[in-house]
Amino acid sequence: MTTPSVIDLLGVLAYGELTSFERTTQGAALAPTLADKVTLAAVAAREYANFERLCGHLQANGVDPLEAMQPFVKPLNDFHANLEARNWLEGLMKSYVGDGIAADFYREISMYLDVETTNLVIDVLSDTTLADFALEQVKAAIAQDPKIAGRLALWGRRMMGEMISQATVVAGSRPALQELFLGSVNAAELAGLVNKLTVAHARRMDQIGLAS
Amino acid sequence: MTTPSVIDLLGVLAYGELTSFERTTQGAALAPTLADKVTLAAVAAREYANFERLCGHLQANGVDPLEAMQPFVKPLNDFHANLEARNWLEGLMKSYVGDGIAADFYREISMYLDVETTNLVIDVLSDTTLADFALEQVKAAIAQDPKIAGRLALWGRRMMGEMISQATVVAGSRPALQELFLGSVNAAELAGLVNKLTVAHARRMDQIGLAS
């Protein structure tokens, strides 16, 4: 099914995977060891495969992937420009926290679409290698130097704030995405979604040993 | 066959593909249009697939890819640190000229190894998408602003120089690679190789419209 909502969701997801692929590869370039570099490069390659799969799905439904992605290029680029990681740990935190929130959000809203789209979205977002890797590395770094925890906690909170503000801007500019909420989702469900995302974010921060 | 020469050649090639994957993805992140970004991301994904294939071949022969790559990490990182592209066109030139010279070199020396290795190396180096893309973009940029040709020609010459100096350092530190030449290759063949590389480089520069 290629309703405008589905096209918008797959478009933003596809561009999201493409930029994740770029960021994970930048992480690989900064990795302290060859083994870490190889781990991150493998994650990046899977993100590219997800991107290709989403584009393939759009194409199979007669939609040009470039057109579907285009509306989300500027908002996502702006989001990342506002939230540039300054070092290896901030980059890992960004993957862990930022990708985590985004994945929760996309999974939740895909539930209001057809089953095929829901399954595709869930499948594309199922890889936790990067989150596990980031969790392990950041926890180890905090254990070694507890002083860095405060700064990283702040970084995590800033990310949550930026994502909410950016999501509002994107949804506001895309009637099909807005309709997905205003049409299918009532106020109670919307409050429930925000609550779910906040709880999941707090649990992730807790797991990595930081205050949310 | 996993002679020390084969391990060294596949190790340096694997690390080379891994770093090409990183650089091409950096290019994708700088791409002026979404279509260019998608083209470069696809090239990067194939470079990663080449890296995986070379690692798989080493592993199938009982060799740890990380160990095979390790001796080449510092020399290749140094080479790239000395030759950091400062913009989109320099990055494309680096792929076109640098990868071109490297591919010619690896193809030539693989001829002195077993057929299976030769075929693997030739196959891994056969993708010309990036070279074609870079050629087209750089030519178009020069046509639009001929003043940039001088600076890009200088950049191309500098690359040839850096590659020769770096290849000498690498070969000098790896007895197996040195033996490949001193053992299998006589002085006339070595002179022939250098000549072939220089001619191919000049042809590439000519094709892109720059003095070599």
Side-chain angles (χ1 to χ4, degrees):
Chain A
M1 279 227 311
T2 49
T3 63
S5 311
V6 170
I7 297 172
D8 267 4
L9 179 60
L10 297 184
V12 69
L13 258 181
Y15 191 66
E17 290 289 331
L18 186 59
T19 54
S20 291
F21 157 78
E22 289 175 359
R23 277 198 320 285
T24 307
T25 307
Q26 277 160 17
L30 294 174
T33 72
L34 183 55
D36 290 340
K37 186 192 276 292
V38 169
T39 301
L40 288 181
V43 171
R46 282 198 296 276
E47 289 168 334
Y48 180 79
N50 283 336
F51 160 74
E52 257 199 330
R53 208 175 142 194
L54 292 161
C55 289
H57 188 84
L58 284 164
Q59 264 165 334
N61 286 283
V63 179
D64 177 356
L66 292 183
E67 275 177 37
M69 287 190 279
Q70 197 66 63
F72 304 103
V73 170
K74 197 180 169 327
L76 264 76
N77 289 355
D78 286 351
F79 168 74
H80 290 298
N82 274 337
L83 216 61
E84 197 86 64
R86 285 161 308 177
N87 55 48
W88 167 247
L89 288 178
E90 283 192 2
L92 289 176
M93 274 286 289
K94 190 167 166 185
S95 295
Y96 177 74
V97 171
D99 293 3
I101 300 169
D104 286 343
F105 175 70
Y106 292 135
R107 259 190 297 258
E108 288 294 330
I109 64 170
S110 76
M111 301 294 174
Y112 299 99
L113 300 171
D114 61 296
V115 173
E116 198 191 349
T117 304
T118 310
N119 289 341
L120 175 65
V121 170
I122 288 176
D123 209 38
V124 157
L125 299 172
S126 64
D127 189 349
T128 62
T129 317
L130 182 54
D132 297 341
F133 177 79
L135 179 65
E136 194 189 296
Q137 296 267 329
V138 174
K139 276 178 82 166
I142 295 173
Q144 222 192 332
D145 181 8
K147 284 194 310 293
I148 62 174
R151 201 162 36 79
L152 289 176
L154 202 68
W155 176 242
R157 282 198 290 278
R158 219 187 109 196
M159 226 169 310
M160 184 68 176
E162 287 279 350
M163 290 190 85
I164 289 171
S165 105
Q166 202 55 45
T168 314
V169 173
V170 173
S173 72
R174 301 301 296 168
L177 282 182
Q178 214 165 23
E179 204 193 291
L180 189 63
F181 286 111
L182 302 182
S184 333
V185 185
N186 62 38
E189 285 179 305
L190 193 58
L193 170 64
V194 172
N195 189 44
K196 263 192 191 173
L197 295 181
T198 312
V199 168
H201 170 65
R203 196 177 44 232
R204 259 190 305 270
M205 291 292 280
D206 191 50
Q207 224 175 357
I208 211 165
L210 295 173
S212 60
Chain B
M1 278 228 310
T2 49
T3 63
S5 312
V6 170
I7 297 173
D8 267 4
L9 178 60
L10 298 184
V12 68
L13 258 182
Y15 192 66
E17 290 289 332
L18 186 59
T19 55
S20 291
F21 157 78
E22 290 176 358
R23 277 198 320 286
T24 306
T25 307
Q26 276 161 18
L30 295 174
T33 71
L34 183 55
D36 290 339
K37 186 192 277 290
V38 169
T39 301
L40 288 180
V43 170
R46 282 198 296 276
E47 288 167 336
Y48 180 80
N50 284 335
F51 160 73
E52 258 198 331
R53 208 175 142 195
L54 292 161
C55 288
H57 187 83
L58 284 164
Q59 264 165 335
N61 286 285
V63 179
D64 177 357
L66 291 183
E67 275 177 37
M69 287 189 280
Q70 198 66 63
F72 304 103
V73 169
K74 196 179 170 326
L76 263 76
N77 288 356
D78 286 352
F79 168 73
H80 290 299
N82 275 337
L83 217 62
E84 197 87 63
R86 284 161 309 177
N87 55 49
W88 166 248
L89 287 178
E90 282 191 3
L92 289 177
M93 273 287 287
K94 190 167 166 185
S95 296
Y96 177 75
V97 172
D99 294 2
I101 299 169
D104 285 344
F105 175 69
Y106 292 135
R107 261 191 296 259
E108 288 294 330
I109 63 169
S110 76
M111 303 293 175
Y112 298 99
L113 300 170
D114 60 296
V115 173
E116 197 191 349
T117 304
T118 310
N119 288 341
L120 176 65
V121 170
I122 288 176
D123 210 37
V124 157
L125 299 172
S126 63
D127 189 351
T128 62
T129 317
L130 183 55
D132 296 342
F133 177 79
L135 179 65
E136 194 188 296
Q137 296 267 330
V138 173
K139 277 179 81 168
I142 295 172
Q144 223 192 332
D145 180 9
K147 285 194 309 294
I148 63 174
R151 199 162 37 78
L152 288 176
L154 201 66
W155 176 243
R157 281 197 291 279
R158 218 187 110 197
M159 225 168 312
M160 184 67 177
E162 288 279 352
M163 290 190 84
I164 289 170
S165 106
Q166 202 56 45
T168 313
V169 173
V170 173
S173 70
R174 301 300 298 168
L177 283 182
Q178 214 166 22
E179 204 193 291
L180 188 62
F181 285 112
L182 302 182
S184 334
V185 185
N186 61 37
E189 284 178 307
L190 194 59
L193 170 64
V194 172
N195 189 45
K196 263 191 191 173
L197 295 181
T198 312
V199 168
H201 170 66
R203 196 176 47 231
R204 261 191 304 271
M205 291 293 279
D206 191 50
Q207 225 175 354
I208 210 165
L210 295 172
S212 60

